[in-house]
Amino acid sequence: QVHLAESGGGSVQTGGSLRLSCVASGSTENTRFMGWFRQAPGKQREAIASIAVSDSDTYYPDAVKGQGRFTISLDNAKKTLYLQINAMKPEDTAMYYCAATPRFLGIRIFNADQYTAWGQGTQVTVSS
């Protein structure tokens, strides 16, 4: 079983930056993909970015890629996933979750239901 623990959230002003971290522990050897998702109050959980554990290839949904504000990265030695968020906006306010899966995802890479392990989340609040 994979355990995930996020950190790094907090309150920032518009235009600020944050780097979120997610430490993985447990039976991580079969993990193929890790990702970041977020969920704002009253909204569905949405994918922010995913990364392949084997080669660190990164994947961003079109809505995120066009913004150029989010960067996902992975330190395999530390078993730590990161999400850098720059030029933050009030609409970035949400709970941010780290997720992992041993599955081959293909086009389903941004589907939350394909990820089998989730962290508790870290709250990000952006004030104007």
Side-chain angles (χ1 to χ4, degrees):
Q1 194 170 4
V2 175
H3 300 281
L4 303 172
E6 304 96 334
S7 63
S11 297
V12 298
Q13 292 190 326
T14 297
S17 298
L18 277 178
R19 188 175 80 155
L20 308 183
S21 300
C22 171
V23 177
S25 60
S27 303
T28 62
E29 60 274 11
N30 295 323
T31 300
R32 286 194 170 87
F33 290 91
M34 298 186 74
W36 285 100
F37 293 77
R38 70 183 180 185
Q39 188 166 19
K43 295 189 176 181
Q44 286 191 329
R45 191 167 296 192
E46 64 172 337
I48 300 300
S50 293
I51 191 166
V53 171
S54 61
D55 57 13
S56 293
D57 275 357
T58 59
Y59 305 88
Y60 300 89
D62 288 343
V64 171
K65 188 187 303 182
Q67 298 183 41
R69 301 189 297 114
F70 298 87
T71 304
I72 189 172
S73 61
L74 177 65
D75 185 330
N76 266 309
K78 295 182 179 180
K79 294 187 177 181
T80 302
L81 181 72
Y82 300 100
L83 182 69
Q84 179 71 37
I85 313 173
N86 297 325
M88 297 185 74
K89 306 175 181 180
E91 48 264 45
D92 293 326
T93 295
M95 186 72 80
Y96 284 70
Y97 297 93
C98 168
T101 184
R103 299 176 180 175
F104 293 99
L105 296 183
I107 61 173
R108 300 168 296 170
I109 194 168
F110 301 128
N111 290 12
D113 61 5
Q114 296 300 311
Y115 289 78
T116 56
W118 291 84
Q120 294 298 306
T122 186
Q123 177 66 41
V124 171
T125 302
V126 185
S127 58
S128 57

